[in-house]
Amino acid sequence: MRLAAVPEGLPSLAAFAIAKASVPAPAQHPALVHNRHFPVFAGPRTLTGGAAKGTPAPGTRPGDTLYGPAVGKVVVALHDTPLRPGDLV
């Protein structure tokens, strides 16, 4: 999920875009997780477009990937991790 445009006032669906990305090689990361649920809440909204100055978190600009808590399912996991495909994280 990416920010498509800095919203004026309350965000609408037009402010967000679902982006497709290439899947990284499993050896580069301990696990690959497909996020299923991602909340859109007030905290990240204050950082959209750099609206909040002097915060420890970076501002979010159009094209940036949204960040924050999520619930996902492990797709691929390296053998030396406790994670297994199908685990919810």
Side-chain angles (χ1 to χ4, degrees):
M1 183 69 86
R2 294 184 192 266
L3 183 67
V6 175
E8 295 290 329
L10 292 175
S12 67
L13 289 177
F16 306 99
I18 295 174
K20 293 190 178 197
S22 60
V23 177
Q28 294 176 338
H29 305 282
L32 176 64
V33 176
H34 178 209
N35 286 344
R36 301 288 180 108
H37 303 281
F38 183 88
V40 177
F41 56 99
R45 174 61 182 103
T46 61
L47 302 172
T48 303
K53 306 293 184 210
T55 63
T60 307
R61 305 225 178 261
D64 288 350
T65 302
L66 298 178
Y67 60 91
V71 176
K73 187 180 259 189
V74 175
V75 177
V76 177
L78 296 179
H79 293 292
D80 60 349
T81 71
L83 299 172
R84 293 293 164 249
D87 286 352
L88 289 177
V89 293

